Amino acid sequence: MAGKGSAPQPTLTVTDAVAIIVGVVIGVFVFKAPSFVAANTGNGLLFLLAWLLGGAVSLVGALCYAELATAYPHAGGDYHYLTRAFGRDIAFLFAWARLTVIQTGSIALLAFAFGDYAKQIMPLSNHASPLYAAAAVVVLTALNVMGVQQGKWTQNALTAAKVVGLLSVIAVGLFLAAPPKVAPPTEAPPHPAFGLAMIFVLYTYGGWNEAAYISAELKDVRRNMVRALVWGIGIITAIYFLASLAYLKGLGIVGMAEAKEAVAADLLRSTFGEGSAKLISLLVAVSALGATNATIFTGARTNYALGRDFAPFRFLGQWHERANTPVNALLVQGVISLALVVLGAWTGEGFEAMVAYTSPVFWFFFLLAGLSLFVLRTSEPSTPRPFLVPLYPLTPLLFCGICVYMLYSSLDYASSVTVGIMVKVGIEVLLAGVPVLLLARGMAAEERAS
């Protein structure tokens, strides 16, 4: 039985840590994002460079998060760092953003990825993708509300589907697909924008910041953290590069840009016909469904924590004993996610619209997390730091500079009529948290007075 002073023990080896990092990061976006990257690079060399650069950026950020995670081990992650560095007001806005933009937007994003591939299997109508996406949000939220336990075999099956699908894409594109027809120059994707391409690339690399939380359980963390991060992100970069090379070889830059909804299905369709396209679509759809379910599960828990900390959201902090789930947090999260699916369907650019909705807010708080490293080193110099980011202050400065560039690139989405609407909506929803914050302050003051 765990005692009052129990803490995570350093039992993980470098191999264990590398496996965790690779498993967390590699997801369904490698089957979805390459078409948008192709459309915003317009050049095969730049397309491949973007994926290599994504690995380098991820490593820089992971090193910064590794210092924060080892110095301040806490289940709250970014919320805890921002509270210590900038106070409860900024931390509240981050929690508000997770509830209304980041986490719920990610659920809608994954649901659209599921819908786009499910549509390849059973195209019910012209609006099949948002219908599938909405159904995924409703059904998975309902299952979580009922407290349905997911067995280990389910997660293993979902992981296997993802791996089989990715290996199939790489093998077909590199060794079996016929070279694409060379498109004339006039068919090249118009208006390439490398910054927008990197938004989709870094979405695909997303998750390394979660991997830094294993630091408290890693043996000889000072030496092994860097080794695990370098090897883990190196392996991920190699896999993504090979997959991108396979898409490029099998479809060409124009073919990828045109395969907006399901680039992996288009690759197999062009090589083996419709049957293989449906098979890969099934594998990707199942994997996307699993990722959506995991995001719903974890998101509800963070919203439950928000309800425990701030009075206006007390109803989120209620736990249903029989189902062993935070039912209110799940229902509110489900309603917001469903509304975002409807908004994404209205724009006609479901997946891309959700990227636009979440990106500026995501990169803003990522920037603050990077800045918190500087603040905490200054304000809390006596705090033990088992891992120090290499080449300080250059490495965190580089990370913050990248965040500023990605924030600018995310805002640049506003140049698009439909997607730009979602950029503005995401920012407005974040700003709507300010009056809620003032309400929370007032309620806290009343409670202290009473």
Side-chain angles (χ1 to χ4, degrees), residues 40 57 62 79 95 103 122 130 176 180-181 203 233-234 239 287 298 308 326 334 347 366 372-373 381 399 407:
N40 285 292
V57 169
Y79 178 82
Q103 198 77 4
M122 192 178 297
L176 300 174
K181 295 179 181 179
Y203 247 108
I233 293 178
I239 291 171
S287 183
T298 58
R308 304 290 290 182
T347 66
F366 233 24
S372 71
L373 195 152
F399 176 61
L407 177 58

Side-chain angles (χ1 to χ4, degrees), residues 218-359:
L218 185 62
K219 294 178 180 178
D220 193 5
V221 67
R222 291 181 68 94
R223 185 169 63 95
N224 288 338
M225 177 56 78
V226 174
R227 293 171 63 194
L229 287 169
V230 170
W231 275 104
I233 293 178
I235 290 170
I236 293 161
T237 304
I239 291 171
Y240 283 172
F241 183 80
L242 287 174
S244 303
L245 193 61
Y247 288 131
L248 184 62
K249 184 176 180 292
L251 293 173
I253 197 73
V254 174
M256 276 190 291
E258 291 175 347
K260 196 172 183 181
E261 291 190 341
V263 62
D266 275 18
L267 175 59
L268 268 74
R269 183 182 290 112
S270 66
T271 306
F272 297 117
E274 192 61 36
S276 61
K278 288 186 180 296
L279 176 60
I280 193 71
S281 295
L282 177 62
L283 292 173
V284 178
V286 169
S287 183
L289 206 58
T292 307
N293 184 64
T295 308
I296 288 172
F297 182 92
T298 58
R301 269 68 184 170
T302 58
N303 296 334
Y304 166 79
L306 172 66
R308 304 290 290 182
D309 286 350
F310 293 95
F313 296 98
R314 268 202 196 109
F315 66 99
L316 296 178
Q318 298 175 11
W319 196 271
H320 193 284
E321 287 189 27
R322 190 190 308 176
N324 195 31
T325 56
V327 170
N328 290 347
L330 280 164
L331 291 174
V332 171
Q333 176 181 263
V335 169
I336 296 172
S337 301
L338 193 59
L340 292 177
V341 169
V342 173
L343 271 175
W346 172 71
T347 66
E349 305 284 350
F351 179 86
E352 195 174 4
M354 287 302 101
V355 172
Y357 177 74
T358 57
S359 288

Side-chain angles (χ1 to χ4, degrees), residues 5 41 87 105 108-109 114 123 208 222 232 238 246 253 259 272 330 338 390 431 447:
T41 54
L109 185 74
F114 163 73
W208 51 259
R222 291 181 68 94
I253 197 73
F272 297 117
L330 280 164
L338 193 59
L431 294 176
E447 289 181 354

